[in-house]
Amino acid sequence: MSQSGNPPPDMQTRNVHPSLSGADIVVHSLVNHGVTNVFAYPGGCSIPLHQALTRYRDKIRVLLPRHEQGGGFAAQGLARSTGELGVCMTTSGPGATNLLTAVADAKLDSIPLLAITAQVTTGAIGNDAFQETPITEVCRSITKHHCLITDVKDVARTMKEAIYVATTGRPGPVLVDIPKDVLTAQCLANFDVPMELSGYSGEIPQASDADVKTVADAIRAAKRPVLYIGGGIIAAEASAELMKLAEKTQTPVTTTLMALTAFPQEHRLSLGMPGMHGTAYANYAIAECDLLIGIGVRFDDRVTGKVSDFAKNAKIVHVDIDPSEIDKVKKANVAIISDAAYFLTKLNRVVTPPDADFSPWHAKIDDWKKRFPMQYETGTETIAPQQVIEVLWDATKDRETIIATGVGQHQMWTAQFYKFKTPRTHLTSGGLGTMGFGFPAAMGAKVAHPDKLVINIDGDGSLQMNIQELGTCFCEKIPIKILLLNNQHLGMVMQWEDRFHASNRGNTYLGPVDHPEAFGKGVGIGPEERFPDFCMIARGYGWQSRLISRPDELADAIREMVESDGPFLLDVTVPYQYHVLPMIPAGGTVQDIIL
């Protein structure tokens, strides 16, 4: 899909077709726009869509998830790993509502997603018909755009508009709801029909020459600059221009959770991730910088903490494609509404090395890196969760690898210890923080990249949110890997209990309720008490699996997982007592950092 949202040139001649059903127009629209994979779960009202899909088997692969949410996240995994449109379909009522978490997730992380839902017949709408839900009203605040089609003559135009809106500007999810009688009705289909998008142009905003010069002058005058980079750099495919700017100006770079792959984590100018569980040196650098250039970032609360104290001594430049993000959280001294790639390309043409000697600034950062490295306890008889990530990195660093994660402690340890270097190789739920995201997202990424190694790093709580997709991977022959950090707890919530609630357990232990750990007694969990048996579950779905609990098993087990031919689940027993550190408490400042 092109940035403009127009169909590929070789498909633009497929203009007018003889009488087609609404369902055929939907599918033909997807084909015209280059869609080759759809994640779809059938139901009564969506039968016409699935019947139409069978007529396009040579052009579109339909993958059957085991839950609509799994299909939505799989479509996201495809979109996040490629930058292309992800497509999912469901039936009406519960099928549509099951999809909404994935839609909301895509909205907060700016992912181009097209969700197509079937609806009860137009005559039944509003009568509380069987499996009726007014899904366009329900999803009003969690989509970039949404619409209900009530006339088959509008299907081709609406599909064209939906794809255009989802993939242009700041990408986002669009939901199209189509009643069953509209899907079965027929009309003459014109796929070149003009769009009718009042108030939306989709044009890419571009920084002015004056704006670019202002930033170039600010960099030249700075003594302690920092580039604060968000997921907008990934969406704009601007990583190469970011590298040019950082190296030309010798400016340190901190990348948010959504932007970890935008700049190589092992690069000497990399500060790693900022914020609540970011590196100490990234947070100290932001606190002491005199120029903070934020590009494609939202100034999220997990990064800023106490907003008034965030970069309080710095001149702040904020560049974003979405004007609604400017000054929403943090007032900018220089606000620029622009596509990130366009801005960086123009800036690199005019920016010159700074007047000041940055060596004292670099030396200070190097000292922070030496004094406050990312580290953890080693030498015990148990496996440290951070160690698992480091061993995985060492085993995969020379391979084309995509890492997806669920949400929780394992997500943060992955961000801290896996040294990403290539854009679109890290898939995680940032804004919504959705447990259950990682497994189906990895599934979608593997469909899009069959020749790459795709691994889902998950926790036992997060995995169980969409564990049914084990069946999808086996039946659809999607050989992803699951690296399970199993501590028998909802680890991140438990960490907050330990830090702020005297370790009083409020339903964060995932084992039997009569176990002492359910009440925070701290007696530990033996291997024989593990629940459930994930390896047995995996084997029941046709997966290979292995359980380990000792450090001397780790390297061999990861090697076995990586080199396996089919889907493989590696269940790694890790102690629940480990906390994700550093940590800045919510609403705190760098002065409150826990090391």
Side-chain angles (χ1 to χ4, degrees):
M1 178 64 59
S2 65
Q3 182 64 25
S4 67
N6 292 322
D10 64 332
M11 294 183 180
Q12 290 179 355
T13 57
R14 303 174 185 178
N15 303 324
V16 181
H17 281 250
S19 186
L20 292 174
S21 72
D24 279 295
I25 296 172
V26 169
V27 179
H28 202 90
S29 297
L30 297 177
V31 172
N32 281 357
H33 286 270
V35 173
T36 56
N37 294 285
V38 171
F39 299 87
Y41 202 101
C45 287
S46 66
I47 287 175
L49 281 171
H50 285 262
Q51 290 299 302
L53 285 166
T54 66
R55 293 188 281 273
Y56 293 82
R57 281 180 176 144
D58 60 328
K59 294 181 175 64
I60 290 184
R61 179 184 180 187
V62 181
L63 298 106
L64 174 65
R66 278 9 184 209
H67 190 285
E68 292 90 350
Q69 186 185 110
F73 284 138
Q76 271 207 54
L78 183 149
R80 289 175 187 248
S81 64
T82 63
E84 300 172 0
L85 180 72
V87 181
C88 51
M89 292 182 184
T90 73
T91 193
S92 63
T97 56
N98 280 346
L99 191 63
L100 288 186
T101 299
V103 172
D105 189 278
K107 178 67 161 56
L108 279 176
D109 285 352
S110 305
I111 306 304
L113 181 74
L114 177 59
I116 301 170
T117 56
Q119 184 56 275
V120 299
T121 60
T122 52
I125 292 176
N127 293 325
D128 293 331
F130 177 67
Q131 291 193 333
E132 179 193 359
T133 298
I135 200 64
T136 53
E137 297 302 313
V138 173
C139 75
R140 182 174 295 277
S141 62
I142 59 170
T143 54
K144 184 179 178 183
H145 182 54
H146 55 273
C147 55
L148 170 67
I149 303 176
T150 57
D151 189 332
V152 69
K153 296 183 181 68
D154 295 329
V155 174
R157 174 181 54 79
T158 304
M159 287 294 295
K160 185 177 180 180
E161 292 169 352
I163 293 172
Y164 183 72
V165 172
T167 56
T168 56
R170 179 180 179 176
V174 174
L175 185 140
V176 178
D177 194 32
I178 315 174
K180 187 173 184 178
D181 56 318
V182 175
L183 291 172
T184 57
Q186 296 199 346
C187 73
L188 189 70
N190 179 6
F191 294 98
D192 276 349
V193 61
M195 293 187 293
E196 300 175 7
L197 289 170
S198 177
Y200 184 83
S201 69
E203 293 181 1
I204 300 174
Q206 299 177 344
S208 68
D209 292 343
D211 287 337
V212 172
K213 184 179 183 302
T214 298
V215 178
D217 290 344
I219 293 173
R220 189 167 61 251
K223 295 181 179 178
R224 300 181 306 279
V226 168
L227 284 162
Y228 165 40
I229 302 302
I233 291 287
I234 303 293
E237 308 289 352
S239 296
E241 292 296 332
L242 171 63
M243 176 68 77
K244 289 180 185 177
L245 178 63
E247 293 190 333
K248 189 173 185 178
T249 62
Q250 291 298 294
T251 301
V253 179
T254 181
T255 43
T256 67
L257 180 67
M258 293 300 298
L260 287 177
T261 64
F263 194 79
Q265 298 298 295
E266 289 189 299
H267 195 284
R268 57 188 176 82
L269 292 172
S270 174
L271 295 169
M273 185 175 68
M276 177 177 285
H277 293 298
T279 65
Y281 37 89
N283 287 308
Y284 287 141
I286 290 173
E288 296 196 17
C289 71
D290 62 358
L291 174 65
L292 184 70
I293 303 175
I295 307 176
V297 289
R298 298 188 294 116
F299 286 84
D300 179 76
D301 62 289
R302 293 288 178 164
V303 172
T304 63
K306 186 178 180 181
V307 177
S308 60
D309 280 8
F310 181 75
K312 65 179 180 180
N313 298 316
K315 180 177 184 177
I316 294 179
V317 175
H318 190 184
V319 182
D320 202 277
I321 197 170
D322 185 352
S324 71
E325 291 297 338
I326 302 296
D327 294 338
K328 185 172 79 174
V329 176
K330 184 75 174 180
K331 180 73 175 177
N333 302 100
V334 179
I336 301 173
I337 301 169
S338 178
D339 171 72
Y342 182 88
F343 168 76
L344 285 170
T345 300
K346 291 198 70 170
L347 181 59
N348 281 329
R349 290 173 184 164
V350 301
V351 74
T352 58
D355 294 338
D357 177 10
F358 278 2
S359 57
W361 181 226
H362 291 160
K364 192 165 195 176
I365 291 173
D366 289 342
D367 181 59
W368 285 329
K369 288 182 177 181
K370 291 177 182 176
R371 291 167 56 199
F372 309 112
M374 298 303 299
Q375 58 188 352
Y376 55 91
E377 181 182 357
T378 59
T380 68
E381 295 182 358
T382 57
I383 302 173
Q386 302 94 323
Q387 180 186 11
V388 179
I389 307 301
E390 286 195 324
V391 174
L392 178 67
W393 155 250
D394 189 62
T396 59
K397 61 184 177 182
D398 296 324
R399 301 183 57 155
E400 287 191 295
T401 306
I402 296 174
I403 300 293
T405 77
V407 168
Q409 288 179 314
H410 66 276
Q411 177 189 32
M412 293 296 102
W413 283 318
T414 301
Q416 291 176 338
F417 290 95
Y418 197 96
K419 301 176 180 64
F420 295 98
K421 58 184 177 182
T422 306
R424 299 193 181 280
T425 56
H426 175 230
L427 317 177
T428 198
S429 173
L432 198 62
T434 310
M435 292 177 66
F437 168 89
F439 180 13
M443 192 169 68
K446 184 64 175 178
V447 169
H449 303 275
D451 296 330
K452 293 185 179 181
L453 175 65
V454 180
I455 302 172
N456 170 44
I457 300 173
D458 228 327
D460 47 318
S462 196
L463 176 61
Q464 291 182 82
M465 291 284 187
N466 274 311
I467 197 169
Q468 74 285 336
E469 301 308 326
L470 289 166
T472 306
C473 288
F474 177 79
C475 294
E476 298 283 354
K477 302 187 186 308
I478 309 172
I480 69 166
K481 320 299 177 186
I482 295 178
L483 179 58
L484 177 61
L485 301 185
N486 189 346
N487 65 4
Q488 298 284 286
H489 286 77
L490 299 176
M492 189 60 83
V493 184
M494 178 202 65
Q495 176 171 328
W496 283 53
E497 289 175 338
D498 287 346
R499 292 285 172 179
F500 310 115
H501 300 280
S503 298
N504 183 40
R505 294 288 174 258
N507 311 108
T508 51
Y509 174 60
L510 293 174
V513 296
D514 57 351
H515 192 283
E517 282 307 329
F519 308 99
K521 301 301 182 182
V523 298
I525 302 168
E528 71 284 351
E529 298 175 287
R530 293 164 51 83
F531 177 86
D533 187 335
F534 286 102
C535 289
M536 181 180 292
I537 294 171
R539 288 194 293 272
Y541 277 101
W543 284 51
Q544 302 172 68
S545 62
R546 180 175 174 180
L547 168 66
I548 64 170
S549 59
R550 301 192 316 271
D552 60 359
E553 300 175 291
L554 182 58
D556 179 69
I558 286 181
R559 189 181 309 109
E560 180 184 357
M561 176 190 71
V562 167
E563 295 177 357
S564 63
D565 292 332
F568 192 105
L569 182 144
L570 176 58
D571 186 351
V572 184
T573 304
V574 296
Y576 70 90
Q577 291 89 347
Y578 278 89
H579 286 186
V580 180
L581 298 175
M583 179 180 183
I584 298 177
T589 72
V590 70
Q591 304 301 323
D592 304 312
I593 193 168
I594 301 169
L595 298 169

